[in-house]
Amino acid sequence: MTALTQSVRSLWDSSIGKKTVVAVTGLVFIGFLVAHLIGNLLVFVGEEAFNHYAEWLHGLGHGAAVWVARLVLLGSLVLHVVATVSLTRQNRAARIAYAHEDTLRASKSSKIMIWSGLTVLAFIIFHILHFTVRTDAQLAKIAAESPYQMVIVGFQNWLVVIFYAISMTLLCSHLSHGFSSAFQTLGFSSSKTRSLLDKLGKAYSLLILVGFLSIPISIRIFGYGS
Ligand code: HEM
């Protein structure tokens, strides 16, 4: 074993090493969600703006940029899940004496992190099959003509909209705890900044919830785009 693989191994074996992996990969998603939201909100500017943006995105770096981003996102997702599962197992096995007291003090969002995380994971799989892979042949045909129309048609189904609403709510809960947790792990949180980071995390997750939900709700409930 080389010195490098040995130090990566011992970092991974330590709880702080895994927490750092969870924090860094979480921050990748926090950044991605802002960019994805801004792009998606172009739906409200109109069909031409949204389709122009989709075309521009897929043409970046002769099409390579999208694939680099996909690899980074997929790698981050896998590492985030594997490190979390391993940490949970490690914590359960340790059954530290003050765990009970900690659980009592923990917020609701921190207690349901594993469940909100698993729902978001299921959502991401569904969402990619829906809008990126386009397993629905009719939707794929529409997307080839206009990605904007794909989004409008994709949200005509109530079940899809309800699943999005549940997933976005749990995503908001996951981010609300994850945001400040990530910064805390990376050493940015002191007793002075902790409450500020908590507030920023709540504001960020609320923005993500309202921003993403505004799209299916405007389309399905208010008939936007039809
Ligand atoms: C109303 C909410 C959303 C809309 C309208 C939306 C729209 C889209 C569209 C149109 C694509 C296809 C991009 C393409 O292939 O050109 C896409 C891909 C994707 N979305 Fe979303 N999205 C929403 C929410 C989310 C959320 C909340 C997440 C993460 C939790 C997310 C994660 C992704 C990922 C990972 C991809 C795959 C990127 C790729 O490989 O192309 N999306 N989304």
Side-chain angles (χ1 to χ4, degrees), residues 4-5 19 31 38 43 50 89 101 116 119-120 144 152 168 175 200 208 217 224:
L4 181 67
T5 47
K19 278 186 182 164
I38 294 171
V43 147
F50 189 80
R89 279 203 187 138
E101 197 186 317
S116 55
T119 310
V120 172
I152 304 292
M168 295 305 101
L175 290 170
L200 273 177
I208 292 293
I217 286 182
Y224 178 78

Side-chain angles (χ1 to χ4, degrees), residues 46-56 143 145-149:
E47 183 161 12
E48 203 182 314
F50 189 80
N51 288 349
H52 194 266
Y53 161 72
E55 201 182 325
W56 168 80
E145 296 281 321
S146 164
Y148 170 90
Q149 289 300 337

Side-chain angles (χ1 to χ4, degrees), residues 1 15 24 27 37 89 101 116 131 139 146 184 191 203 219 225:
M1 219 190 264
S15 144
V24 171
L27 287 182
L37 178 60
R89 279 203 187 138
E101 197 186 317
S116 55
F131 280 160
L139 208 60
S146 164
Q184 200 175 325
S191 52
I219 294 172

Side-chain angles (χ1 to χ4, degrees), residues 29 32-33 36-37 40-41 43 50 54 57-58 66-67 69-71 73-74 77 120-121 123-124 127-128 130-134 147 150-151 155 164 167-168 171 175 208 211-217 219:
F29 273 97
F32 163 75
L33 282 172
H36 196 43
L37 178 60
N40 284 337
L41 287 177
V43 147
F50 189 80
L57 194 67
H58 283 267
V66 168
W67 282 101
R70 283 174 176 164
L71 281 178
L73 288 173
L74 184 65
L77 186 65
V120 172
L121 184 63
F123 165 79
I124 292 175
H127 183 58
I128 289 178
H130 191 209
F131 280 160
T132 303
V133 180
R134 295 158 195 161
M150 170 189 78
V151 174
F155 287 135
Y164 266 68
S167 306
M168 295 305 101
L171 172 67
L175 290 170
I208 292 293
F212 277 118
L213 261 194
S214 68
I215 300 169
I217 286 182
I219 294 172

